[in-house]
Amino acid sequence: GDRVQGRRLADIGGKGLFAKEIHEALLDGRVDFAVHSLKDLETELPPGLVIAGVLPREDVRDALVLGPAVPPVFRRGALPELPQGARIGTASVRREAQLRHLRPDLRFGLLRGNVGTRLRALEGGDFAATLLAMAGLRRLGLEHAAVMALDPEEELVPAAGQGIIAVTAREEDVETRRLFAMIDHRPTRIAATAERALLASLGGSCRTPVGAHARMLPGGRLRLTGLLAREDGSFLLKRGLEGAPGDAARLGQELGAWLRAGSPADILP
């Protein structure tokens, strides 16, 4: 997935590119389980594989990281305060569409690779800013690099499964699945179920800007926020839905249907 840096992931095989060889090793019996970032897993796993467990979710938010050339007056962190015409580095159509909708004046360039590669590109002055998953920064001890973390419902809706570590196993491997069921984090599993159901109901590709964020409310209900946009940011629809945690899959399907019904026909295949 990281070997080709000069093209968008959508152009070289999509999310499945990161997991393809690992899926094959599981199905061949060379490994007994695999660990993934859930947002990098396809909505439909290959036949014979299942998500055996998920760990407690890390910070779900996207983080704004600024390059050293951005003047101090713009370093308070708010997206509307980025310099006029600033060049943003990203490979995410979801992030780019939301930023374009908010700030049509911004310019964009392709920025792929691991966190270190992206931070070095900022330091080198290639871009004024980028957006990274706060979960990745925290796991690397680099949260100080973020100027601000963006609200996942009001500012920038994250990718489905963002911040979640998932373990996959063979469906027939009852013992391995039993072991991981013991550490499966129920609130995270519920959120993942809702978000992935929304993604599946839209049937979009890596070229379609889709966001999803589910969280448990204080009263025990589940709130799901979904977003669907056009790549150039000229159209953006965001809606929310609440329901019982046990209805997570249904909520995702229903919200996905609402988003599809309220969007122009050219956005989804």
Side-chain angles (χ1 to χ4, degrees), residues 20-33:
K20 183 175 184 293
E21 293 179 21
I22 299 174
H23 290 335
E24 291 172 354
L26 256 180
L27 291 169
D28 292 347
R30 285 176 281 148
V31 299
D32 294 315
F33 63 89

PDB file of all heavy atoms in Angstrom, residues 20-33:
ATOM      1  N   LYS A  20      -4.461  -7.006   1.292  1.00  0.00           N
ATOM      2  CA  LYS A  20      -4.573  -8.154   0.388  1.00  0.00           C
ATOM      3  C   LYS A  20      -3.625  -9.297   0.751  1.00  0.00           C
ATOM      4  O   LYS A  20      -4.038 -10.454   0.884  1.00  0.00           O
ATOM      5  CB  LYS A  20      -4.315  -7.698  -1.051  1.00  0.00           C
ATOM      6  CG  LYS A  20      -4.464  -8.794  -2.105  1.00  0.00           C
ATOM      7  CD  LYS A  20      -4.299  -8.219  -3.502  1.00  0.00           C
ATOM      8  CE  LYS A  20      -4.531  -9.282  -4.565  1.00  0.00           C
ATOM      9  NZ  LYS A  20      -3.487 -10.329  -4.546  1.00  0.00           N
ATOM     10  N   GLU A  21      -2.331  -8.999   0.913  1.00  0.00           N
ATOM     11  CA  GLU A  21      -1.358 -10.055   1.200  1.00  0.00           C
ATOM     12  C   GLU A  21      -1.597 -10.672   2.578  1.00  0.00           C
ATOM     13  O   GLU A  21      -1.359 -11.866   2.784  1.00  0.00           O
ATOM     14  CB  GLU A  21       0.059  -9.499   1.095  1.00  0.00           C
ATOM     15  CG  GLU A  21       0.447  -9.103  -0.318  1.00  0.00           C
ATOM     16  CD  GLU A  21       1.854  -8.542  -0.399  1.00  0.00           C
ATOM     17  OE1 GLU A  21       2.658  -8.815   0.518  1.00  0.00           O
ATOM     18  OE2 GLU A  21       2.152  -7.827  -1.367  1.00  0.00           O
ATOM     19  N   ILE A  22      -2.069  -9.853   3.512  1.00  0.00           N
ATOM     20  CA  ILE A  22      -2.349 -10.369   4.854  1.00  0.00           C
ATOM     21  C   ILE A  22      -3.568 -11.288   4.822  1.00  0.00           C
ATOM     22  O   ILE A  22      -3.586 -12.345   5.474  1.00  0.00           O
ATOM     23  CB  ILE A  22      -2.546  -9.209   5.842  1.00  0.00           C
ATOM     24  CG1 ILE A  22      -1.266  -8.372   5.923  1.00  0.00           C
ATOM     25  CG2 ILE A  22      -2.923  -9.724   7.228  1.00  0.00           C
ATOM     26  CD1 ILE A  22      -1.382  -7.126   6.756  1.00  0.00           C
ATOM     27  N   HIS A  23      -4.589 -10.902   4.069  1.00  0.00           N
ATOM     28  CA  HIS A  23      -5.752 -11.779   3.902  1.00  0.00           C
ATOM     29  C   HIS A  23      -5.321 -13.135   3.339  1.00  0.00           C
ATOM     30  O   HIS A  23      -5.778 -14.189   3.800  1.00  0.00           O
ATOM     31  CB  HIS A  23      -6.758 -11.152   2.936  1.00  0.00           C
ATOM     32  CG  HIS A  23      -7.474  -9.939   3.467  1.00  0.00           C
ATOM     33  ND1 HIS A  23      -7.647  -9.701   4.810  1.00  0.00           N
ATOM     34  CD2 HIS A  23      -8.093  -8.908   2.812  1.00  0.00           C
ATOM     35  CE1 HIS A  23      -8.323  -8.580   4.970  1.00  0.00           C
ATOM     36  NE2 HIS A  23      -8.595  -8.085   3.777  1.00  0.00           N
ATOM     37  N   GLU A  24      -4.455 -13.093   2.337  1.00  0.00           N
ATOM     38  CA  GLU A  24      -4.005 -14.334   1.705  1.00  0.00           C
ATOM     39  C   GLU A  24      -3.255 -15.222   2.696  1.00  0.00           C
ATOM     40  O   GLU A  24      -3.429 -16.445   2.706  1.00  0.00           O
ATOM     41  CB  GLU A  24      -3.113 -14.011   0.506  1.00  0.00           C
ATOM     42  CG  GLU A  24      -3.873 -13.382  -0.663  1.00  0.00           C
ATOM     43  CD  GLU A  24      -2.958 -12.893  -1.770  1.00  0.00           C
ATOM     44  OE1 GLU A  24      -1.712 -12.936  -1.576  1.00  0.00           O
ATOM     45  OE2 GLU A  24      -3.470 -12.472  -2.823  1.00  0.00           O
ATOM     46  N   ALA A  25      -2.424 -14.604   3.542  1.00  0.00           N
ATOM     47  CA  ALA A  25      -1.687 -15.377   4.548  1.00  0.00           C
ATOM     48  C   ALA A  25      -2.636 -16.026   5.553  1.00  0.00           C
ATOM     49  O   ALA A  25      -2.413 -17.162   6.004  1.00  0.00           O
ATOM     50  CB  ALA A  25      -0.693 -14.472   5.269  1.00  0.00           C
ATOM     51  N   LEU A  26      -3.700 -15.324   5.913  1.00  0.00           N
ATOM     52  CA  LEU A  26      -4.696 -15.895   6.823  1.00  0.00           C
ATOM     53  C   LEU A  26      -5.409 -17.075   6.184  1.00  0.00           C
ATOM     54  O   LEU A  26      -5.530 -18.144   6.783  1.00  0.00           O
ATOM     55  CB  LEU A  26      -5.723 -14.817   7.182  1.00  0.00           C
ATOM     56  CG  LEU A  26      -5.659 -14.153   8.564  1.00  0.00           C
ATOM     57  CD1 LEU A  26      -6.762 -13.120   8.697  1.00  0.00           C
ATOM     58  CD2 LEU A  26      -5.741 -15.170   9.676  1.00  0.00           C
ATOM     59  N   LEU A  27      -5.881 -16.872   4.989  1.00  0.00           N
ATOM     60  CA  LEU A  27      -6.645 -17.917   4.307  1.00  0.00           C
ATOM     61  C   LEU A  27      -5.779 -19.137   4.004  1.00  0.00           C
ATOM     62  O   LEU A  27      -6.272 -20.277   4.007  1.00  0.00           O
ATOM     63  CB  LEU A  27      -7.254 -17.362   3.020  1.00  0.00           C
ATOM     64  CG  LEU A  27      -8.367 -16.335   3.228  1.00  0.00           C
ATOM     65  CD1 LEU A  27      -8.719 -15.645   1.923  1.00  0.00           C
ATOM     66  CD2 LEU A  27      -9.608 -17.007   3.819  1.00  0.00           C
ATOM     67  N   ASP A  28      -4.474 -18.927   3.770  1.00  0.00           N
ATOM     68  CA  ASP A  28      -3.550 -20.034   3.502  1.00  0.00           C
ATOM     69  C   ASP A  28      -3.116 -20.759   4.768  1.00  0.00           C
ATOM     70  O   ASP A  28      -2.470 -21.805   4.699  1.00  0.00           O
ATOM     71  CB  ASP A  28      -2.283 -19.522   2.795  1.00  0.00           C
ATOM     72  CG  ASP A  28      -2.564 -19.035   1.390  1.00  0.00           C
ATOM     73  OD1 ASP A  28      -3.667 -19.311   0.877  1.00  0.00           O
ATOM     74  OD2 ASP A  28      -1.695 -18.362   0.806  1.00  0.00           O
ATOM     75  N   GLY A  29      -3.434 -20.193   5.926  1.00  0.00           N
ATOM     76  CA  GLY A  29      -3.033 -20.800   7.184  1.00  0.00           C
ATOM     77  C   GLY A  29      -1.623 -20.462   7.614  1.00  0.00           C
ATOM     78  O   GLY A  29      -1.094 -21.048   8.562  1.00  0.00           O
ATOM     79  N   ARG A  30      -0.963 -19.518   6.935  1.00  0.00           N
ATOM     80  CA  ARG A  30       0.395 -19.115   7.318  1.00  0.00           C
ATOM     81  C   ARG A  30       0.391 -18.295   8.608  1.00  0.00           C
ATOM     82  O   ARG A  30       1.381 -18.261   9.332  1.00  0.00           O
ATOM     83  CB  ARG A  30       1.055 -18.315   6.187  1.00  0.00           C
ATOM     84  CG  ARG A  30       1.514 -19.170   5.008  1.00  0.00           C
ATOM     85  CD  ARG A  30       2.070 -18.305   3.895  1.00  0.00           C
ATOM     86  NE  ARG A  30       1.016 -17.688   3.095  1.00  0.00           N
ATOM     87  CZ  ARG A  30       1.102 -16.507   2.518  1.00  0.00           C
ATOM     88  NH1 ARG A  30       2.194 -15.773   2.671  1.00  0.00           N
ATOM     89  NH2 ARG A  30       0.107 -16.042   1.785  1.00  0.00           N
ATOM     90  N   VAL A  31      -0.706 -17.587   8.896  1.00  0.00           N
ATOM     91  CA  VAL A  31      -0.859 -16.868  10.161  1.00  0.00           C
ATOM     92  C   VAL A  31      -2.231 -17.213  10.728  1.00  0.00           C
ATOM     93  O   VAL A  31      -3.132 -17.638  10.000  1.00  0.00           O
ATOM     94  CB  VAL A  31      -0.719 -15.333   9.978  1.00  0.00           C
ATOM     95  CG1 VAL A  31       0.659 -14.969   9.449  1.00  0.00           C
ATOM     96  CG2 VAL A  31      -1.803 -14.782   9.064  1.00  0.00           C
ATOM     97  N   ASP A  32      -2.385 -17.022  12.025  1.00  0.00           N
ATOM     98  CA  ASP A  32      -3.648 -17.373  12.682  1.00  0.00           C
ATOM     99  C   ASP A  32      -4.562 -16.173  12.883  1.00  0.00           C
ATOM    100  O   ASP A  32      -5.777 -16.322  13.033  1.00  0.00           O
ATOM    101  CB  ASP A  32      -3.380 -18.025  14.041  1.00  0.00           C
ATOM    102  CG  ASP A  32      -2.680 -19.364  13.884  1.00  0.00           C
ATOM    103  OD1 ASP A  32      -3.107 -20.147  13.013  1.00  0.00           O
ATOM    104  OD2 ASP A  32      -1.704 -19.615  14.605  1.00  0.00           O
ATOM    105  N   PHE A  33      -3.997 -14.988  12.952  1.00  0.00           N
ATOM    106  CA  PHE A  33      -4.818 -13.776  13.035  1.00  0.00           C
ATOM    107  C   PHE A  33      -3.989 -12.620  12.511  1.00  0.00           C
ATOM    108  O   PHE A  33      -2.774 -12.714  12.362  1.00  0.00           O
ATOM    109  CB  PHE A  33      -5.311 -13.517  14.468  1.00  0.00           C
ATOM    110  CG  PHE A  33      -4.227 -13.270  15.473  1.00  0.00           C
ATOM    111  CD1 PHE A  33      -3.748 -11.975  15.709  1.00  0.00           C
ATOM    112  CD2 PHE A  33      -3.684 -14.314  16.212  1.00  0.00           C
ATOM    113  CE1 PHE A  33      -2.755 -11.744  16.641  1.00  0.00           C
ATOM    114  CE2 PHE A  33      -2.687 -14.088  17.151  1.00  0.00           C
ATOM    115  CZ  PHE A  33      -2.217 -12.799  17.370  1.00  0.00           C
TER     116      PHE A  33
END
